[in-house]
Amino acid sequence: MTPKTAVTPAGHTTPPAKFSHGVRKGNILQVAGQVGFLPAEPGQAGPVVAGPTLREQTLQTLANVRSVLEAGGASWEDAMMLRVYLTDTDHFAEMNEIWNEYFADLKEAPAARTTVYVGLPKGLLIEIDALAVLG
């Protein structure tokens, strides 16, 4: 049986509950929901990205997802599914614009995507998780 391996990129803090930033089993990598936290100093929690705007948080969140993918041996090309969690329905169009700019260099869409509206801790506007299949 193939063991599960926790994936924690350098600079990512320990999650606030008992879970991993990512888990890889065989060629499957699940990235846990990432938010707009900046890389942390050793022994400290990372702060939320400097600006409270959707753009700043979305770009940092995507960077955090990418870092977990890379730490697990994957890239955007391996992503099969991305799930976006927004706190405000009014942010959907702006998030799509940011998304299209971010992935402009990819020939094809990075993955299938679902967007839902949720409650997140105070100050957080977006969370994104990913499922990747390697190989």
Side-chain angles (χ1 to χ4, degrees), residues 69-131:
L69 287 170
E70 290 172 352
S75 68
W76 290 121
E77 286 75 19
D78 299 305
M80 298 296 293
M81 181 67 183
L82 296 166
R83 285 169 292 268
V84 177
Y85 307 91
L86 293 172
T87 59
D88 189 335
T89 57
D90 290 339
H91 289 161
F92 186 75
E94 181 182 358
M95 184 274 299
N96 273 336
E97 289 176 22
I98 297 163
W99 188 274
N100 289 337
E101 291 170 19
Y102 185 85
F103 291 112
D105 292 340
L106 294 182
K107 288 183 185 180
E108 298 179 18
R113 188 185 91 188
T114 297
T115 304
V116 296
Y117 302 98
V118 299
L120 292 172
K122 185 176 180 174
L124 294 175
L125 305 174
I126 187 168
E127 181 173 348
I128 300 172
D129 70 24
L131 176 66

Side-chain angles (χ1 to χ4, degrees), residues 2-8 20-26 28-30 71-72:
T2 305
K4 291 189 294 186
T5 304
V7 177
T8 303
S20 300
H21 288 287
V23 176
R24 182 168 174 180
K25 185 169 183 171
I28 304 293
L29 173 62
Q30 176 65 57

Side-chain angles (χ1 to χ4, degrees), residues 30-78:
Q30 176 65 57
V31 177
Q34 300 294 304
V35 294
F37 287 123
L38 293 166
E41 296 296 323
Q44 298 178 12
V48 173
V49 69
T53 70
L54 180 65
R55 171 172 287 283
E56 291 161 321
Q57 285 195 28
T58 301
L59 293 174
Q60 185 61 50
T61 299
L62 286 165
N64 291 343
V65 171
R66 185 183 68 238
S67 70
V68 178
L69 287 170
E70 290 172 352
S75 68
W76 290 121
E77 286 75 19
D78 299 305

